[in-house]
């Protein structure tokens, strides 16, 4: 999974005027629950954990959403919880209703959230699953910079793989609480994850060969919710 970051002072994507579109924080759990297909209690718990929801509305109707966390957040694909350090924010669990995908709402949602959050947090982070090319493209268009790839090594441990190490790589590894590695990793992070649960789609994990399950939307050496964003 590709890890991206936006630091205060980075170039933000240019705003795009979209008629009848509004992007705002949403504080009402009852409003968010049907959109996110979650119980109101689950939404309320996210609020209590320090998360903030943003919603895109077209002519008043919600069509897209995303979350921003400053406290404890869970990265479902890695089965890992992290405590977001002060001055940082983690963006996760984005989704656009299927009928409204491909219209640029995701990029504008990210842009709006980052612009608002820059007054509070000097570093923002987001992850994209490699098979989700639209998420990858949207994150890049919004102005985020790739840091490296979260992968499984051959000890079944999560590492941050990067072609070179700089200040942002170090900060990303500290955020996710994983080591930086330039050594070999499992050919497909998803199959490595699922193999531990005996749900892998192919035998690339066991036989250490290139993945054939079509879960790798990007080459293994490409660098860039809860992550799998549906845009």
């Amino acid at each position: 999974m590709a890890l991206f970051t936006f630091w205060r002072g980075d170039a933000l994507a240019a705003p795009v005027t979209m008629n009848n579109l509004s992007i705002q924080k949403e504080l009402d759990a009852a409003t968010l629950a049907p959109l996110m297909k979650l119980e109101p209690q689950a939404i309320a718990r996210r609020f209590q954990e320090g998360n903030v929801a943003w919603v895109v509305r077209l002519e008043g109707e919600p069509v897209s959403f995303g979350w921003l966390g400053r406290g404890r957040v869970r990265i479902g694909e890695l089965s890992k919880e992290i405590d977001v350090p002060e001055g940082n924010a983690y963006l996760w669990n984005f989704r656009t209703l299927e009928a409204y995908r491909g219209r640029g709402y995701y990029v504008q949602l990210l842009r709006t959230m980052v612009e608002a959050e820059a007054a509070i947090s000097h570093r923002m982070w987001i992850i994209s699953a490699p098979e989700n090319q639209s998420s990858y493209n949207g994150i890049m268009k919004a102005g985020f910079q790739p840091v490296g790839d979260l992968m499984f090594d051959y000890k079944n441990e999560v590492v941050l793989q990067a072609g070179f190490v700089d200040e942002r790589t170090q900060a990303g590894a500290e955020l996710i609480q994983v080591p930086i590695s330039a050594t070999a990793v499992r050919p497909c992070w998803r199959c490595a994850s699922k193999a531990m649960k005996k749900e892998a789609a192919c035998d690339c994990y066991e036989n250490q060969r290139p993945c054939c399950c079509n879960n790798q939307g990007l080459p293994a050496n490409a660098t860039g919710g809860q992550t799998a964003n549906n845009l």
Side-chain angles (χ1 to χ4, degrees), residues 165-183:
V165 177
D166 60 9
E167 184 182 9
R168 297 185 186 227
T169 312
Q170 294 281 7
E174 292 174 6
L175 173 81
I176 308 298
Q177 300 168 10
V178 296
I180 299 171
S181 175
T183 59

Side-chain angles (χ1 to χ4, degrees), residues 13-29:
V16 176
T17 300
M18 295 184 175
N19 294 332
N20 303 317
L21 197 76
S22 67
I23 302 175
Q24 297 177 324
K25 293 179 183 178
E26 177 55 65
L27 305 177
D28 183 51

Side-chain angles (χ1 to χ4, degrees), residues 209-227:
R209 67 180 189 178
C211 180
C212 61
C213 68
N214 199 31
N215 279 329
Q216 296 188 128
L218 298 173
N221 63 350
T223 54
Q226 306 119 16
T227 296

Side-chain angles (χ1 to χ4, degrees), residues 23-41:
I23 302 175
Q24 297 177 324
K25 293 179 183 178
E26 177 55 65
L27 305 177
D28 183 51
T31 299
L32 292 170
L35 175 64
M36 300 181 179
K37 298 182 179 179
L38 294 171
E39 294 296 325
Q41 295 88 336

Side-chain angles (χ1 to χ4, degrees), residues 75-217:
I75 305 175
E77 292 84 351
L78 302 179
S79 299
K80 186 177 183 63
E81 288 188 346
I82 62 172
D83 292 310
V84 180
E86 185 177 354
N88 290 256
Y90 180 73
L91 283 65
W92 60 285
N93 192 196
F94 287 80
R95 186 167 69 88
T96 299
L97 300 184
E98 188 171 358
Y100 301 94
R101 294 175 187 171
R103 302 187 187 183
Y105 298 158
Y106 180 48
V107 175
Q108 293 308 307
L109 174 57
L110 285 174
R111 187 196 180 283
T112 301
M113 293 173 69
V114 168
E115 186 175 39
E117 185 64 20
I120 303 171
S121 301
H122 58 86
R123 298 175 181 176
M124 282 149 276
W125 305 87
I126 190 170
I127 293 173
S128 174
E131 66 274 12
N132 195 336
Q133 187 69 55
S134 61
S135 174
Y136 182 99
N137 293 341
I139 292 168
M140 292 289 287
K141 288 179 181 178
F144 283 80
Q145 296 186 25
V147 173
D149 292 305
L150 292 165
M151 305 288 285
F152 287 92
D153 65 12
Y154 285 97
K155 296 180 181 179
N156 298 336
E157 297 176 347
V158 179
V159 298
L160 179 62
Q161 188 182 45
F164 64 95
V165 177
D166 60 9
E167 184 182 9
R168 297 185 186 227
T169 312
Q170 294 281 7
E174 292 174 6
L175 173 81
I176 308 298
Q177 300 168 10
V178 296
I180 299 171
S181 175
T183 59
V185 294
R186 294 290 185 180
C188 175
W189 73 269
R190 175 166 287 191
C191 281
S193 177
K194 287 181 174 287
M196 296 177 191
K197 305 174 185 176
K198 303 187 183 302
E199 298 174 356
C202 72
D203 62 356
C204 64
Y205 175 84
E206 290 82 2
N207 295 326
Q208 302 182 21
R209 67 180 189 178
C211 180
C212 61
C213 68
N214 199 31
N215 279 329
Q216 296 188 128

